[in-house]
Amino acid sequence: MVSSLKKFAPRREHKERGQISSRKHLGHLEKHKDYVLRAKDYREKQRVLKRLRERAATRNPDEFYFNMERSQMKDGVHVEERRQALTAEVQRLMDTQDVTYVKMQRDINRRKIERLQSELHFADTPQGSHLGPRHTVFVDSEEEVRKFRPAEHFNTLPEFVGRKYNRPNVDALESGDIARPTGSVLKKATKARVERLQELKDRLEREEQLQRAESEMLLRRSLKEKGAREKVGKDRLGLAIYKWKAERKK
């Protein structure tokens, strides 16, 4: 009875000392818990190396699988065809995230694109920009094309010709009902417009990358599953496009 109660009796706590001041230049003094973590990591790495040595010793030199024909060697490293065709950002996204995360990011990015497009729909288009809609005026002859003056045609000032909406005419400006904006106001509005257009362009590029990553992740998941399939062509990146044969479900 007494021997069984010894383990419940209070015991003295053995504490480990820290690094003394005269040896602080040598760095942190390793404690027992640090040694346990280091030893566990070392043993795990030794197990992995042992397993790899066994696989290398017992491998079949006549082994063949079809991915050997599609893989390549560059600087002693195996390179996958589908992976090399993707951008570095798409590869990093596929390595670190799953399909659910990519779909969520696509939804967030799509909503921001719709918001920017709705804002730009009612904003001015800066002169010299190739983005945004254009106003086309049709004339009857080449002579009218040479003599065409947009400001006279729309009855407005030259600085208002590039505006998509709220383009006041000369009569309204002369009557004083509409205040003529200063050059600084127009310059500030044009700068804000260009920044929104650049953001929209970046968002559209990100949407394309996310769509590519999502489709590639879904394709790789489908390739791992069972089912008869065949190549039906190649996409714009030169990667194979697969088509699965229809199977009757019970």
Side-chain angles (χ1 to χ4, degrees), residues 33-191:
K33 61 179 181 180
D34 302 325
Y35 162 76
V36 171
L37 295 176
R38 183 166 57 86
K40 187 182 298 183
D41 180 65
Y42 174 78
R43 288 193 295 268
E44 179 63 29
K45 290 178 180 178
Q46 290 300 316
R47 280 195 294 267
V48 173
L49 290 175
K50 181 181 178 181
R51 188 163 61 249
L52 291 176
R53 292 191 190 100
E54 291 176 353
R55 288 183 181 179
T58 58
R59 72 181 182 88
N60 182 9
D62 299 327
E63 181 182 2
F64 172 79
Y65 51 95
F66 287 100
N67 194 34
M68 291 180 176
E69 296 181 344
R70 295 188 291 268
S71 62
Q72 300 176 356
M73 288 282 289
K74 289 185 178 180
D75 299 330
V77 179
H78 282 279
V79 177
E80 296 182 10
E81 179 186 2
R82 300 195 67 88
R83 187 176 180 86
Q84 286 297 108
L86 304 175
T87 61
E89 184 175 353
V90 174
Q91 293 180 19
R92 184 167 56 253
L93 188 64
M94 292 173 57
D95 293 339
T96 57
Q97 304 297 338
D98 56 356
V99 182
T100 306
Y101 174 82
V102 176
K103 289 183 178 179
M104 181 187 68
Q105 291 297 321
R106 280 196 66 191
D107 293 337
I108 296 175
N109 192 63
R110 195 180 299 112
R111 286 195 292 268
K112 291 183 179 180
I113 289 176
E114 293 175 356
R115 177 178 57 82
L116 284 172
Q117 288 177 342
S118 63
E119 292 177 359
L120 293 172
H121 183 72
F122 297 102
D124 301 335
T125 302
Q127 299 203 0
S129 174
H130 64 283
L131 300 174
R134 298 181 179 181
H135 191 147
T136 304
V137 178
F138 296 92
V139 294
D140 297 330
S141 62
E142 293 290 339
E143 184 67 22
E144 294 184 13
V145 173
R146 289 191 295 268
K147 295 182 178 180
F148 182 76
R149 298 293 182 270
E152 297 178 2
H153 177 79
F154 295 112
N155 191 24
T156 185
L157 297 178
E159 54 264 32
F160 294 150
V161 172
R163 303 187 70 173
K164 180 182 176 182
Y165 82 107
N166 193 17
R167 185 191 296 136
N169 53 32
V170 177
D171 299 333
L173 292 172
E174 290 178 352
S175 62
D177 297 336
I178 301 177
R180 181 172 180 175
T182 60
S184 60
V185 174
L186 291 176
K187 186 177 181 180
K188 186 177 180 180
T190 303
K191 181 180 179 181

Side-chain angles (χ1 to χ4, degrees), residues 208-209 211-212 234-239 241:
E208 184 179 357
Q209 293 178 352
Q211 182 180 3
R212 183 67 191 178
K234 293 185 178 181
D235 59 5
R236 58 185 180 84
L237 297 178
L239 301 179
I241 300 176

